């Protein structure tokens, strides 16, 4: 799965480029896309069991998962490894 912050950064860049035409409304593209990614992850956490916690609890868990994506995004920038922008971090013992 693609890194959520890569998607948000691309949406923010497109929004910034279109800002003069849209009167600044396109600047919301980055935060909105990140919110949508969190919502999709929260929905996936629900799975098939309808009784797995409240919606707020699932959204909080999805938000914590997004922090790992943020770490992968920052690491990719710091290590200058653009492939990590799309794959994220892999666990050290995954090899």
């Amino acid at each position: 799965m693609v890194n959520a912050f890569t998607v948000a950064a691309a949406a923010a860049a497109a929004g910034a480029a279109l800002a003069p035409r849209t009167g600044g409304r396109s600047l919301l593209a980055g935060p909105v896309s990140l919110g949508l990614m969190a919502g999709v992850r929260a929905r996936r956490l629900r799975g098939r069991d309808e009784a797995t916690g409240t919606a707020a609890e699932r959204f909080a868990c999805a938000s914590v998962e997004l922090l790992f994506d943020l770490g992968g995004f920052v690491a990719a920038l710091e290590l200058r490894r653009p492939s990590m922008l799309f794959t994220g971090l892999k666990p050290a013992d995954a090899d």
Side-chain angles (χ1 to χ4, degrees):
M1 182 157 86
V2 70
N3 188 317
F5 285 90
T6 302
V7 172
L18 294 173
R21 291 185 186 168
T22 63
R25 290 185 303 272
S26 62
L27 294 175
L28 293 173
V32 167
S33 67
L34 197 54
L36 287 173
M37 294 289 281
V40 166
R41 287 194 183 184
R43 188 163 182 88
R44 188 177 332 122
L45 285 175
R46 182 180 74 184
R48 296 176 189 216
D49 187 13
E50 294 291 329
T52 9
T54 64
E57 183 180 332
R58 288 191 307 265
F59 192 77
C61 290
S63 298
V64 169
E65 283 187 11
L66 285 177
L67 292 177
F68 289 103
D69 276 358
L70 177 60
F73 184 80
V74 171
L77 293 178
E78 287 179 352
L79 296 174
R80 296 178 186 187
R81 297 187 61 193
S83 65
M84 286 176 54
L85 288 173
F86 302 101
T87 61
L89 291 175
K90 303 259 189 298
D93 58 357
D95 294 334

